[in-house]
Amino acid sequence: MKFNIIKWLFSLACISFIITSCKKKLEEYNPSGLTGSTLYTQAAGFETLVNSAYSYSRFWYGKEEGYTISEMGTDLWTNGTGDVFPQISTYNNLQGNNTVALNLEWNNLYAAINVCNSGIKGIEKVQDYTAAQKLLREAELRFLRAFYYWHIVETWGGVHFTTEPTEGAITTANKTSVDEIYNQIFSDLQFAVTNLPATATQYGRATVPVAKAFLARMYLTRGKNTEAISLASDVIKNYGYALQPKYGDLWNMANLKSKEVIWAVDYSTNLSFNDLTTVSYPSGHPRGSNSGHLLFLMVYDQVNTAILSRDINNGRPFNRYMPTLSFLNMFDDANDARYEGSFQTVWYANKVAPGFAIGDTAAYATKATIPAAVIASKKYTTYDLSKTYGTNGVPIQRRFYVSLKKFKDSTRATLAEAQSARDAFVMRLAEMYLIAAEAELKIGKLDSAAYYINIVRTRAALPGRAANMQITPAQVTLDFILDERAREFAGEQLRWFDLKRTNKLVDRIKALNPDAAQFVQPFHMVRPIPQSQIDAVSNKDVFKQNAGYQ
Amino acid sequence: MKKIVTFTILLFSLSLVFAQSRQIKGKVTDNKTGAGLADVSVMQKGSSSGVRTDAEGNFSISVNGTGTVDLVISLVGYGSQTINIRGDRAVSASLEQQSTALDEVVVIGYGQVKKRDLTGSVVSIKGEEVKKVPAGNIMESVQGKISGVDITRTSGGAGARPMITVRGNRSINANNDPLFIVDGIQYSNYQDINVNDIESMEVLKDASSTAIYGSRGANGVIIITTKKGNSGKVKISANAYYGISQVAGYAIPMTGPQFADLKRQASRTAGLWNSTADDSKVFTTPADLAAVRNNASIYWPGNNLQNGSQQDYGIGVAGGSEKTKVYFSFDYFKEKGMLNNDYSGRYTVRLNIDQFITNTLKVGLQNQLTYYDQNLRADNILTVANKVLPYFSPYNADGTLAKFPGNGNQVNPLLQELPGAYINQNKITRILSTGYLEWKPVKEFSIRSNLGITNSNSRNGSFQSENTIVRALSSGSLSSISNNISTNILWENIITWQKQFADHSLGLTAVTSYLSDKTDNSFASGTGQLLPTQSFYALQNNPANNLISSGYVASNLISGAFRINYNYKGKYLLTVTGREDGASVLASQNHWEFFPSVAAAWRITDEEFMKDQGLFNDLKIRASYGVAGNSSVKPYQTESNLQLIPFQWNDVSALAYALQPQIGNPDLRWELTSTTDIGLDFSILSSRVTGSLDYYDSETKDLLLLRQLPPTSGVSSILQNIGRTRNTGFEISARTVNVQTSDFTWSSNITYSRNKERIIELVGNQNDIANSWFIGYPINSFYDYEKVGIWQTADSTLAKSFGYKPGDIRVTDLGGPGGKADGKLDANNDRKVLGSAVPRYTLGFSNDFRYKNFDLNIYIFARVGQMFVSTYANKFEPNAIENGAQVDYWTPENPTNAYPRPNVNISRASLPFATTLGYLDGSFVKIRNISLGYNFSKEMASRLRVGNIRWYVSAKNYFTFSKVKDYDPESAGSFERPLSKLIVTGLNIDF
């Protein structure tokens, strides 16, 4: 009996201990974590949301996945030996389940849109913003939402669309028409144009001319030509932008923030501010910063290892992409500085060997045909037309070729450094001229079109050759403009969009890219939806793969 | 009782009928109590008849012959005795009670019971058994010895822990590890425990046994009890062993000439090569061409793999007085892995004290301190060694190491072997300290309070020089240091009350428990260390990319539990358990859950009607049902947390926060597993065969699973309570004594476990392809196209209709939307579940032989029916840009069905159906252990002034039989850190 009492008392003590302490002990305490509901309701915290909304642009611009989707599978490029996504380059068996480049972009574009949606919806709750600050940040977020949706709608067509932030687990997706998505893009951009400031002290933020320039591109895309012309010329005239005197200067690492750049993804020279995956940023990009410098280079370090080995200046060649012969032939290299300004054709010895001094030519790639006797007479190795492309334009080999050098970066710390601090240009002034020209062509004003084109071509001329570069209104055709855009913007992640907009994708691939010509089909005008998305949705009867893909 | 007496008298009178010469009377008593022993068998040696004693221990037997005779007196549980008799005077014999297996005490949650009184499914292993297979940690030592417990090694690296599942997987994202209890305290770091300190290990498998642990018990409970001191003579035991480990099967990459051929064939497919005359088009640099023409070949992994070693030295001392008992030990264990600079040194010190303050009050301490000094190679050195072009020398012409051999894409893995180039050093100190106070005022009642504190302090220092594999593709060295302090406090109060009322026995246990887990961590890193010799120290000398972070993680669990044990006459046993748990990691409205269980057992051999049979010494049927929970998920998953994204404006860092890819689930609740277990314990043929059979059926609902979400939602996953799984299985464990003579004994231990794991319900009752979850299949299943071979030239038209050509991988056209083969291969209709990583069954067969002073253990372990993804089989680079596995690939002249045709224009990433190459049958049988021991004779030992010496040699993991060539497929093997085989020799000395 006595012990029963003790036990009873003891149990009582324990129970009362439990009851009093439980409630408090079972509340989670998380001082090192943050949630949106605590952070985004204050102005200082909301700023971090807006910053993060910008950060997602780094998954597309300057990244291999972005280059692959926006430049490959066009008339300009075919696959080098190192291409890891040849399905995209050639359309051979392109499917939703074999192309992880599409997954990375799909996932991050929608993550970006969710951030924008949360911000646009939640900005009302921020207590310590002024009304003006609210408008400004909302305008930035709306600009970015339009910007991201454009990538989605042009790449995949009428796919999932929402302006609601995600709450909880959403397992369905919808199919929304292209027109409806563009309606939102236009309304967001109008809002941005109205409410953004004319300038920003923080380089890379959206401003009025940035939004106008992008809106001009959208108008052109949707056939609203007069609006496109008026906005493009507004940007050209009123915001202090200027073409660089020399085309080659655009790619100088010391001149990245020039007056020609309307908007760029600003990669920091402090690489730790960029987006490489780290312990503390596990969902970053596996390569980080700008990796465009790796992709277009031929393996110059396999030409002759005795005299030429890999160095920082020549870059780390991934051998992913090589130009099509047709693309090289678009250049009038006797007059057009953009050939020399875009391509590397000569590599110099960087090791001493019998018969070679440092600085002697070691390798030479050219689109011309060089007589065999001349080739044999040279110490260096020549890859001329006959050693690079067959008569049908299909490459004979895919390792040694004229290489796009725009993105090379000799300021990298080591030769193997994969991260480059080079800014990725999203829009630059030359595009405004060509937008205006294309819109003028569409409305039949060929002389105006030629006027805009000639401004771009004048800048592109080699010294003293400006006159030779001029074109007449009669020369302006859609194909000419596409050729001009190729010469001006090759590699700048615009080509897919240009061909789609002009509905020339299939025609020009069939005519100019023999590798892809045999596989390209009309349904390739949109890319396949990643299989992981198709697998994950619960409404599989509604959310289906794009037509033509398995 | 009366019946027995009558029966005995009847027997006795029968024997009288045949009495011939003389009658001998006598009495058999218990040598301790002096009480007469009933039912003792008394036989004349050499004769087949005998008598049994009556209730008072008296017997009378008639013996043949007139001279000296021997009487054999025996009783189950007491052993036997032979008495030499002359004449016919009365004899008296006293027998000593042996502790039988049934009387062994088995530790269960918050208490202990005799094995005979167990109602649940519990396996008990003695410390001696654990010691038989020398291994770095206790769980590796008992691999295959516990039915229902699947233990697999996943890595051959120093200090690596095996993977443990008890009765299959229930959950993928919530932890599937069993709960480890060391001397009453939760302690998951079982690898810290010195094998020689173990008194016993108990594995609780069914819900009735684990329910007292509530939420923590769903994956089974492993209770480890360490040795205690003893009063009387001081016992000292010393142990030492040393062993050499080698890679247990390692498939080698292509040789130089083989790789050159691959490259030629890959170029040939693209029309660049037709004969060796075209070699210069394929091997474009003079160095390539020269290496190929010279048939140069380097076995790169051979440059990195070496022999490892294991060694262990320890001393344990047990002593004390009536009131004080002390056990202390010291142990040093060191393992060197098979990669250079891969080592783990472990120092363990233990002190256990039990002290009576008064006759009713006892206090004690169990202390364990473990210190690790490790350097672990976690880099991808073998992956690179398998990729690097095999015809290039690692050295430049001047004898220095080439950074990129042959200007290839791969960094020379030997650069990583230079002193100080790659450091990944851990210093870990863990203290497990438990104090208890036990008050036992009367025999029936006790109160005990346990306070256990685990304090873990770890520091990882890492340095990768600019020439290491990762950093060579970046800029400068990377230095980092991370510190982790974690404190785990468990306070439990246990009240027990036990009373016998006539034939009824009642026991009550009540428990309160509070568990708190707190971890603080900090991390710093930078690149470009000024002087490489400063390694991960002086991080301030790293000029770039300086990162810092710190964090805090905490969780609490509060519980109350009770258990009622009741038995009637020791034959009918009943256990009822309940536990209420509150877990902080779950949503606040779902913190609490109650876990009930009930178990009953019937000891059939105690029934009257079983008295006559001679087959069973023991027979017991058990049945139990209970519910256990699981909440072992990381804290803070009920809320959507933000991630910090590195960002800047104008080159000045700016904070950017966005949602983490995994969003929170505000409804997170308990994962519940209900298990029915029916078991049979038996002992037959005079205890020559003892064993257990168990059948169980456990169903888990509200599975805590990380679910992949459609990326269009902007997030990628959520931890959810999804669906149900079911595990049914059958387990046998048996111990047999096959031969027993004074010189030679042979005994065997057999375990067999068969578990069928499958998902039985998912959201919307449809398969979840994104997560690879399929109703009717195990959670960890492989879903893909089914490779049938390679498209052959004869089938080129058919191949073309699918979009393929001869030399491509051929997969089955399983069906179209209507279920019939439709001539198209698409992801929706032509993939299927190919297999799973779950074995059909596992088998352990251990044999102990003893001949005079020699003992031999041969232990065979089999794991059958599982599939795995072979990293090696996946190493095929169709464009020959890097080296890979020696595989049989298709060429027009070699129409194999194994691997597709190489092609310089196709990368592995874009090779159609490339993933189908890796699925292999992982079934294996291995001779896990062969040990031969020699026990020095008593004379020899005493001459050396020791009690006992045993010397042994043991070969572990030496023979593996499987369909996978040159590869140890245990748990898919590890490509980066291959599994080892070990040969060991050691000494055990007792003073």
Side-chain angles (χ1 to χ4, degrees), chain A residues 3-4 6-7 10-11 14 17-18 21-22 25-36 39-40 47-49 51-52 54-56 58 79 81 83-87 93 97-98 106-107 110-111 114-115 160 166 168-173 201-205 266-275 278-283 301-305 308-310 316-317 396-400 413-419 531-538 540 543 550, chain B residues 263 272 281-287 404 406-409 439 441-442 445 447 472-476 491 493 495 497 508 512 514 523 545-547 549-552 554 556-560 582-585 588 591-592 635-659 661 663 707-715 718 720 766-770 785 804 824-828 831 879 881 904-907 909-912:
Chain A
F3 301 114
N4 281 345
I6 290 172
K7 190 190 123 190
F10 193 83
S11 304
C14 291
F17 161 77
I18 287 171
S21 59
C22 281
K25 289 285 179 196
L26 292 180
E27 292 305 320
E28 287 198 304
Y29 174 55
N30 186 10
S32 57
L34 278 173
T35 60
L39 188 66
Y40 294 156
E47 296 286 303
T48 72
L49 177 144
N51 291 347
S52 78
Y54 280 95
S55 74
Y56 288 91
R58 302 180 300 187
N79 50 324
T81 298
D83 190 2
V84 288
F85 306 116
Q87 297 94 332
N93 191 35
N97 63 348
N98 62 5
W106 176 273
N107 299 356
Y110 276 108
N114 190 38
V115 171
H160 182 75
T166 294
I170 293 176
T171 61
T172 57
T201 52
Q202 290 172 324
Y203 185 82
R205 277 208 190 267
D266 179 21
Y267 285 110
S268 176
T269 50
N270 184 337
L271 298 178
S272 62
F273 298 161
N274 294 337
D275 57 335
T278 60
V279 184
S280 48
Y281 182 39
S283 55
D301 55 348
Q302 292 178 24
V303 172
N304 185 347
T305 45
L308 178 56
S309 60
R310 198 181 288 183
R316 194 175 151 201
I396 295 167
Q397 47 79 21
R398 296 167 191 268
R399 298 200 294 159
F400 308 104
T414 63
L415 67 88
E417 176 62 68
Q419 296 193 82
Q531 189 66 38
S532 57
Q533 167 75 21
I534 306 269
D535 286 346
V537 294
S538 54
K540 292 188 170 59
F543 195 87
Q550 288 172 355
Chain B
K263 216 164 157 141
L272 298 174
K281 292 184 189 164
V282 177
F283 308 99
T284 48
T285 80
F404 293 91
N407 257 352
N409 290 319
W439 183 45
V442 289
F445 179 74
I447 297 180
L473 304 181
S474 192
S475 297
W491 180 39
N493 299 296
I495 299 166
W497 180 78
L508 298 173
T512 66
Y514 167 72
F523 172 83
N545 298 313
N546 293 318
L547 286 177
S549 67
S550 64
Y552 171 89
N556 289 325
L557 186 77
I558 297 170
S559 321
S584 66
V585 296
S588 54
H591 279 159
W592 291 95
Y636 316 133
Q637 300 201 68
T638 55
E639 51 190 25
S640 292
N641 283 287
L642 303 178
Q643 62 171 335
L644 180 64
I645 299 174
F647 199 67
Q648 53 92 24
W649 293 114
N650 303 343
D651 278 352
V652 176
S653 174
L655 289 176
Y657 274 99
L659 273 185
I663 54 165
R707 179 177 185 194
Q708 299 303 311
L709 294 171
T712 42
S713 62
V715 290
I718 185 169
Q720 272 190 327
Q766 57 179 4
N767 292 334
D768 188 332
I769 300 169
Y785 296 93
Y804 299 97
K824 278 199 297 193
L825 292 170
D826 65 287
N828 291 331
R831 290 181 294 171
N879 53 4
I881 61 163
V904 282
N905 292 328
I906 296 270
S907 67
S910 60
L911 180 71

Side-chain angles (χ1 to χ4, degrees), chain A residues 24 105 126 134 143 178-179 232 245 292 326 422 449 459 461 527:
Chain A
K24 217 167 69 192
E105 299 302 347
V126 184
K134 266 187 194 169
F143 166 76
V178 172
D179 286 343
S326 311
R422 174 182 291 283
R459 189 273 300 270
R527 305 291 198 185

